[in-house]
Amino acid sequence: MSTLTQQELVLGLFEAAPATFLSLRQLGKESFYAQGMPALKSEEYKFTPIAKKLESGLTDFFPAKPIKISTEQVKSAVFAGFEGVVLVFSNGQYLPELSNSTEGLTVNLLSKTENTPLGSIAKADNDPFTALNQATFTDGLHLSIDNKKVIESPILLLQFHQAQGGQVISPRIWIEAGDFSKATFIDYQVSLDDAPYFVNKVVEIKGGVHADITYHSLQEESNQVIEVSNVVTDIKQDSQFTSTQITLSGDMVRNNLTLNLLESNSVGNMYGLYLLHGKSHVDNHTNVDHTIPHAESNELYKGILADQSRGVFNGKIFVRQIAQKTNAFQQNNNILLSDDAIINTKPQLEIWADDVKCSHGCTVGQLDEEALFYLQARGIDKITARGLLLYAFAGEVLDKIEEDSLRNYIVNQIQKRLGSNF
Amino acid sequence: MLSIKNLHASIEGTPILRGINLEVKAGEVHAIMGPNGSGKSTLASVLAGREEYEVTEGEVLFQGKELLPLSPEDRAREGVFLAFQYPIEIPGVSTTNFLRTALNQVREYRGQEPLDAVKFLSLMKEKMALVEIDQKLLSRSLNEGFSGGEKKRNEIFQMAMLNPVLSILDETDSGLDIDALRIVSNGVNKLKSDTTATIVVTHYQRLLDYIVPDFVHVLYKGRIVKSGTKELALELEEKGYDWIKEEVDSTATV
Ligand SMILES: Nc1ncnc2c1ncn2[C@@H]1O[C@H](COP(=O)(O)OP(=O)(O)O)[C@@H](O)[C@H]1O
Ligand SMILES: [Mg+2]
C-alpha cells in the first residue's frame, strides 16, 4: 500500500468540494496531507486498518449524491411512538421539505452560516478523517438551541445512506446549545440497500453553561459499510453531556468520541453497546479530557460479539494536573459468543492530578453456562435462556436511554436477533 | 415414578457416581444423606441434566420415560425440579422476569393455556405467601445480595410456581435459621401429594424432623451403601458416618 495510491484515492473528493468555507477546506487539506491516511502501524488505528479497508472496499472515491427520499420512507424509519422533531438527511445532505422544527431550535445549512467556527471543536490536526471531512464535506447543518430553552421532545437526525457506486458520504453537523438549555438528539443512520459506501462524519457540539445535552447515536447500517465518525463536544460549567453509541452492524466502523470538560462542575457520560455478528469490525475510541477541577466522567461500554466479529475499545481518560477532585469511572464488559470473535480492550489513563477518584475495569467472558443451565432447569429453552441473559447484559446500557421510542426500538431489534443468530 | 438403574457418571474422566440404584414411588419422600463429596449434588445435577457430567452407564426412567436423553428444559417440563444447593446470581434477570417465561413454556409443553399477566400475578401472590417471600425480592436481580435464607426460599417459591412431579432439594436446609427452616419445610410439605415425590438431600437429621422421609439412603463414594427408614437418619445423627465408611471400606478391600 503506497501513500501515492491513498493520495490519489481522495483526489476526487478534493476536486468535488464546493466553494464554501474556502480557507477552512484548505487547512483541512493541508492537515490531511500532513497526517496521511493512518498507516497499518499507526498507534491510534492499529487494530482498525481502515485505510486498507477503504482501498479494497470502495470503488468510487467521490461524494455520494443525495438520493430521493419519500415521506413513506421517513415514516417507516421513524421509531414507533416517537414524538419530536425529525430532520431528514440523504447522504449527508439536509432535506428541508421532509423535516420539521420546533420553537427554540434554529436549523440552518452550514453553507448559509459560513461564520460557523467549524473545526474549532473537532480539530483537523487530531485525526486525519476529521481533516478529510473538513476539506471535502459538501454541506451540513447548523443547529442551535436558544438560551434557557428546554426542548423536552427529542430531535431525530434521520440519516439515510445509499451509494450504489460505493461513494463517500461526509456528514458535517454543528450543534450549539445555549446557556441553561436542554435537548436530546438522536443520530440514526440507516442504509437503504446493501451496496458499500464510506461515511466520514464529523459532529461538533458546543455546550452552553448549565446545559444538559444528550446525543444518542444508533448505527444500523448494512454490513458493507465503512465508517469513521468523530463526535467532539466542549462542556461548560454546571453542564451535563451524555452520549450513547449503539452499533448493530457495519463492515468496519470506527467511532471517535471526545469530551472536553472545560469548566468546573461539568459531567460527561459515555455509554455504548455493540452487538456484532458476521464479520463486523467495530472500534470505539473514547477520549475524555478533564481540564479543570471538580468534574466527573462516567463511562460504560458493553459488547456482545458473535461469529467472526471483532470489537475494539479504547477508553482514554486524561486528567490534567490542575484537575483536582476529578471523578472518572470507566467500565468495558464483553461477551464473546464464538471462539472466532475477538475483542481488544484497553483503558488508557493518564492522570496528572493527585486528588482524584478514578476507576476502570474491563472484562471479557463467555456466556455464563451456569446461569444458562439454571434457566433451562426451570423449563426455558436454550435459545430463549441465552436471549434473556444477553439481554440482561445489554440492559445496563439500554437503561441509560431515557427516550422510550428509541430504547423500545433497539430492544426490539436486539430481541429479533437474540431469537435467531444470537 | 423414578427408577435409577446402575447409574455411573464422571466429570472430566473421574468417576463420581459408581452404580446408583434407586426406586422412588409417587407419594414418597426419600432422604439422601452422606459425607461431603460423596456425590449427592452430582446425582441431583445428573438428574436435572447438567451437561458437564458424562453418564457412562445405566439408565433413568421417569414416569416410564427415559430421562437421560432429554434436555434440561424438557426434564423440567416433564416435572423434574431441582432446588440448587448453591443458587447462582444472575445480574439483570429477576425471578418475576424469567419465571413467567418458564412457567408458560412448561404449560405449553403440558398442553395448558399460557397464563396472562393477571393470572400469573395472582398465582405468584398465592405461592409467595406459602414461603413467606417478599415481592420486592422477586423483582430484584436473581439472588444478587440475597441472604442464604432468601436464596433457598426463592428456590422453593419457584418450585411451588412450577408445580413439579419430582422435587429434588439439594441441601435446602444449609444456611437456614430455625424459622426459615420451618417456613421452607412447611412449603415443601404443603406441595406434597399422592402423585408427587420428593428427594431430600441433606447432611443433617434436623430437616428430617420437618420433612419426614419414608426412606433414608446413605451415599458414599458414589454408591448407595445403606438404606433404611427414618431411624437410620437418627442413628447417623448420633454416630456420624465413620462406622459406615469403615464398613464399606473394609468390604471393598476384601
Ligand atoms: N465440576 C466438578 N469438577 C470436578 N470435580 C467435581 C465437580 N463437581 C463435583 N466434583 C467432585 O465430585 C465429588 C462429589 O461431589 P458432590 O456431588 O458435590 O458431593 P456432595 O454433594 O455429596 O458433597 C467430589 O469429590 C467433588 O470434588
Ligand atoms: Mg452437595
Side-chain angles (χ1 to χ4, degrees), chain B residues 11-12 16 35-43 53 85 170-171 203 219:
Chain B
I11 184 147
E12 286 156 9
I16 309 283
N36 260 331
S38 57
K40 303 184 297 294
S41 293
T42 303
L43 175 61
Y53 298 97
Q85 178 174 6
D170 192 359
E171 310 253 1
H203 248 74
L219 194 65

Side-chain angles (χ1 to χ4, degrees), chain B:
Chain B
M1 169 193 294
L2 180 74
S3 170
I4 303 177
K5 290 185 186 125
N6 191 30
L7 183 64
H8 289 250
S10 43
I11 184 147
E12 286 156 9
T14 312
I16 309 283
L17 300 184
R18 303 184 303 148
I20 302 259
N21 291 290
L22 183 66
E23 293 287 331
V24 178
K25 298 201 173 62
E28 292 177 350
V29 176
H30 288 244
I32 296 184
M33 304 184 73
N36 260 331
S38 57
K40 303 184 297 294
S41 293
T42 303
L43 175 61
S45 298
V46 168
L47 293 177
R50 185 165 232 146
E51 276 158 16
E52 289 103 299
Y53 298 97
E54 194 200 345
V55 175
T56 49
E57 222 183 307
E59 67 166 7
V60 177
L61 293 178
F62 177 62
Q63 297 187 305
K65 216 183 247 183
E66 289 257 24
L67 189 69
L68 298 177
L70 300 182
S71 65
E73 56 267 34
D74 278 349
R75 297 181 197 200
R77 295 163 182 175
E78 288 284 345
V80 176
F81 182 89
L82 170 61
F84 287 85
Q85 178 174 6
Y86 304 108
I88 53 153
E89 297 181 3
I90 311 186
V93 178
S94 70
T95 311
T96 334
N97 191 229
F98 77 79
L99 204 54
R100 188 161 161 219
T101 309
L103 184 61
N104 281 337
Q105 288 203 359
V106 168
R107 290 179 65 91
E108 190 185 340
Y109 187 88
R110 296 177 187 168
Q112 297 163 321
E113 288 290 302
L115 287 189
D116 61 29
V118 178
K119 287 206 182 102
F120 178 74
L121 206 66
S122 73
L123 184 68
M124 271 204 13
K125 289 241 163 73
E126 183 195 325
K127 306 299 182 189
M128 273 159 38
L130 191 71
V131 291
E132 299 178 31
I133 198 168
D134 190 15
Q135 185 160 5
K136 279 202 209 96
L137 207 63
L138 301 177
S139 33
R140 273 170 41 191
S141 280
L142 180 70
N143 291 328
E144 240 183 15
F146 286 25
S147 71
E150 286 170 336
K151 287 181 186 172
K152 296 299 173 81
R153 259 191 274 177
N154 190 1
E155 293 291 293
I156 304 306
F157 165 73
Q158 293 175 42
M159 170 180 150
M161 289 294 287
L162 295 171
N163 198 19
V165 179
L166 173 69
S167 304
I168 305 164
L169 312 181
D170 192 359
E171 310 253 1
T172 300
D173 52 336
S174 64
L176 292 188
D177 61 31
I178 198 76
D179 285 336
L181 186 67
R182 190 183 38 78
I183 293 167
V184 163
S185 322
N186 257 340
V188 172
N189 285 332
K190 282 195 191 133
L191 295 169
K192 275 195 322 202
S193 78
D194 291 349
T195 53
T196 64
T198 314
I199 296 177
V200 187
V201 174
T202 182
H203 248 74
Y204 306 105
Q205 147 68 20
R206 195 174 71 143
L207 177 68
L208 304 180
D209 287 339
Y210 295 90
I211 305 172
V212 182
D214 300 296
F215 300 95
V216 175
H217 311 277
V218 180
L219 194 65
Y220 179 56
K221 291 191 172 169
R223 289 199 188 99
I224 290 178
V225 294
K226 208 168 195 66
S227 294
T229 53
K230 62 178 190 240
E231 284 71 29
L232 176 59
L234 289 169
E235 196 178 350
L236 290 168
E237 178 81 356
E238 199 181 312
K239 303 204 280 185
Y241 289 108
D242 286 349
W243 62 285
I244 290 189
K245 289 186 193 171
E246 274 162 29
E247 229 176 81
V248 174
D249 293 341
S250 64
T251 51
T253 53
V254 174

Side-chain angles (χ1 to χ4, degrees), chain A residues 9 12 35 47 91 97 105 135 137 143 161 172 178 197 199 213 231 276 278 283 288 296 310 314 320 327 338 358 415:
Chain A
L9 263 182
Q35 296 174 77
F47 294 120
N91 289 345
E97 64 281 7
L105 169 71
F137 75 94
L143 299 167
H161 293 159
R172 182 96 197 184
Y197 52 81
V199 179
I213 303 302
V231 176
L276 310 179
D283 176 346
V288 56
E296 177 184 323
R310 177 155 190 182
N314 189 103
R320 302 195 189 201
N327 281 333
S338 98
C358 289
Q415 268 169 353

